[in-house]
Amino acid sequence: MGQANYAVPYLAPNTTGKTILNGVNYASGGGGILNATGSLFVSIFLTLLFMWLVCDYSILRCMNLFSQTNRLGMDIQIDYFNITRKQINKLLGESEARDYVMKKSLFSIIVGSNDFLNNYLLPLVSTGVRVSQNPDAFVDDMINHFRIQLYVNTSI
């Protein structure tokens, strides 16, 4: 694509100043459209906390394990994008920033598979959802939630 620099991760310490003009990556493994997506992984945190408090695991070992379970849902990723947009406005001025984002940006949104796999198909965790909704209804709910997320974002 001819871009000399890659998009930096949003949470990286060097994602500041003019660096953001090269692109920002908001991706989060395990996240999804629905806020509940990946909650199984967060529940692992509670297990790790138990291991630290009761089973005498070191706090460092538990925190290291927990750092592998965090995920950011689409709502948070959109919030981070909005923060970046405001930073670009400050760097370039509002009018030039709008043109810059609209003419020089490539948006790639790949989301939804974790929602379906972790919230609908995962045994035990998703039993209630599978009983109350068929797959088409679940996907319709996901699409409606995603539509709202994108609508809120385009109003900025």
Side-chain angles (χ1 to χ4, degrees):
M1 296 182 54
Q3 188 170 352
N5 300 302
Y6 292 99
V8 292
Y10 177 80
L11 295 175
N14 63 327
T15 308
T16 59
K18 291 190 177 191
T19 302
I20 65 175
L21 298 176
N22 295 317
V24 179
N25 182 344
Y26 305 94
S28 177
I33 296 168
L34 305 173
N35 290 325
T37 299
S39 61
L40 173 68
F41 306 112
V42 172
S43 70
I44 292 171
F45 167 72
L46 298 175
T47 303
L48 295 172
L49 183 61
F50 174 81
M51 291 165 57
W52 173 60
L53 293 172
V54 177
C55 301
D56 202 30
Y57 273 50
S58 75
I59 187 67
L60 185 58
R61 182 175 180 191
C62 288
M63 292 308 291
N64 184 38
L65 292 170
F66 174 65
S67 70
Q68 299 169 28
T69 65
N70 287 331
R71 89 287 183 247
L72 303 174
M74 191 67 168
D75 286 335
I76 294 172
Q77 292 176 42
I78 288 172
D79 288 345
Y80 287 166
F81 172 76
N82 292 333
I83 291 168
T84 302
R85 280 284 289 124
K86 289 175 185 173
Q87 292 170 336
I88 294 172
N89 285 351
K90 284 182 183 176
L91 286 170
L92 303 177
E94 196 167 322
S95 178
E96 187 178 338
R98 185 180 307 109
D99 287 344
Y100 187 87
V101 170
M102 295 305 292
K103 293 178 182 176
K104 298 192 178 206
S105 297
L106 173 66
F107 294 88
S108 173
I109 301 173
I110 303 167
V111 67
S113 61
N114 285 331
D115 294 289
F116 198 76
L117 293 172
N118 295 336
N119 293 340
Y120 193 82
L121 294 178
L122 196 62
L124 302 173
V125 174
S126 63
T127 303
V129 174
R130 283 184 280 147
V131 168
S132 64
Q133 284 186 307
N134 64 42
D136 290 336
F138 184 80
V139 171
D140 285 345
D141 283 348
M142 279 179 29
I143 291 170
N144 288 332
H145 192 81
F146 190 52
R147 184 177 289 123
I148 291 167
Q149 289 169 326
L150 293 179
Y151 177 76
V152 168
N153 197 39
T154 59
S155 65
I156 293 171

